[in-house]
Amino acid sequence: MSNHFNSLPYNKNALEDMIKNQIVYRGVSSSKVLDALRKFPREYFVREKDKPYAYTDGPLSIGYNQTISQPYIVALMTDLLDLSGNEKVLEIGTGSGYQTAILSLLAKEVYTIEVVPALVDFAKNNLKRFGVQNVHFFCKNGYEGLPEHAPFDRIISAAAPKKIPETWKKQLKKGGIMVLPVGIVYQDLLRITKIDDQHFVEENILPVRFVPLVKEDES
Ligand code: SAH
């Protein structure tokens, strides 16, 4: 590992318990994903006062009405992306940067968009401690994606649109995979595989609860 991880103290027992009881227990067993969770202890992505709860089985507030996602969901979404290490990934909803950090280890480059400026700073600071260098931060509404950097091998969203934005489908490479929650009150976690511009395979993974995607006209 070429980051500063080894020099950072963390609660190893709590992290290993989280991996065993929340993630492996529910069926995510990819050693690449599990090792990435070990490289980025979740306590470095929550607010100081929440450190004692960093390894609990749920989302936690990061302020601004936003949350760091549940560890299992982060692991599951990462697993569903099926990363080999060469991918250029678009992430919508940086939040704490926890998912971003994990992607940075398993993909080649991460382009991440967050609409709340203070959270962009929070995530940047969180990632800086680990010496992560392959993440590009953008502070804007992610609804339009990043046409200037498209196409992407993978797209992942941590905020739920009412329906899949056409812009994201367009910016996904042929053969690429997109993992996102879709819906209003009841959302489904979907995995979309792009066959070509007209054909997409849609898999419904499980019901989830994410924050809504802020739309273009609401930001
Ligand atoms: N993976 C992150 C999840 C953060 S929650 C983590 O675990 O920390 C989802 C994030 O999406 C919030 O930070 C929210 O501000 C952001 N968001 C919501 N709508 C957005 C939009 N249209 N564009 C960019 N970011 C958005």
Side-chain angles (χ1 to χ4, degrees):
M1 247 333 256
S2 61
N3 68 30
H4 307 312
F5 166 73
N6 291 328
S7 59
L8 295 173
Y10 69 103
N11 189 338
K12 187 167 191 292
N13 289 340
L15 173 58
E16 288 302 329
D17 283 352
M18 174 192 98
I19 291 173
K20 181 165 151 254
N21 301 330
Q22 301 173 32
I23 300 183
V24 176
Y25 178 76
R26 294 192 180 110
V28 176
S29 58
S30 152
S31 54
K32 275 183 2 185
V33 174
L34 303 182
D35 281 343
L37 295 169
R38 290 189 175 97
K39 299 266 158 49
F40 297 102
R42 194 168 180 257
E43 66 196 78
Y44 285 95
F45 296 86
V46 301
R47 296 187 294 184
E48 196 57 39
K49 68 181 172 72
D50 289 323
K51 272 205 170 197
Y53 315 108
Y55 300 101
T56 50
D57 191 10
L60 285 170
S61 172
I62 50 172
Y64 314 94
N65 278 327
Q66 303 301 335
T67 56
I68 176 172
S69 306
Q70 182 187 16
Y72 166 61
I73 293 294
V74 171
L76 177 65
M77 289 175 83
T78 309
D79 200 28
L80 289 167
L81 284 177
D82 199 18
L83 294 164
S84 70
N86 293 319
E87 296 84 1
K88 183 172 155 191
V89 181
L90 172 65
E91 179 189 43
I92 298 99
T94 319
S96 65
Y98 182 54
Q99 173 78 75
T100 321
I102 287 161
L103 294 171
S104 77
L105 195 68
L106 301 180
K108 190 166 166 208
E109 274 187 300
V110 183
Y111 290 76
T112 188
I113 316 179
E114 170 57 56
V115 75
V116 177
L119 288 177
V120 178
D121 292 339
F122 183 56
K124 276 187 181 168
N125 283 329
N126 293 342
L127 285 181
K128 208 186 282 167
R129 292 201 198 99
F130 293 92
V132 170
Q133 307 224 332
N134 56 343
V135 174
H136 311 274
F137 292 90
F138 297 82
C139 186
K140 59 181 215 171
N141 192 309
Y143 192 74
E144 297 301 330
L146 285 177
E148 65 279 30
H149 294 287
F152 297 95
D153 301 289
R154 300 288 185 269
I155 299 180
I156 177 171
S157 179
K162 292 180 189 123
K163 57 187 273 275
I164 309 168
E166 286 301 319
T167 45
W168 299 359
K169 286 167 108 174
K170 208 167 159 188
Q171 290 171 32
L172 189 61
K173 250 185 217 167
K174 268 185 212 163
I177 299 173
M178 169 156 67
V179 175
L180 77 172
V182 177
I184 303 171
V185 181
Y186 299 97
Q187 301 157 4
D188 291 310
L189 185 66
L190 303 183
R191 172 159 73 174
I192 311 290
T193 306
K194 181 167 180 172
I195 309 299
D196 58 40
D197 289 335
Q198 272 77 45
H199 300 93
F200 294 82
V201 174
E202 187 174 313
E203 294 166 86
N204 193 332
I205 309 295
L206 83 175
V208 283
R209 257 189 146 180
F210 277 84
V211 298
L213 181 78
V214 174
K215 292 292 271 293
E216 174 96 297
D217 46 12
E218 293 167 10
S219 64

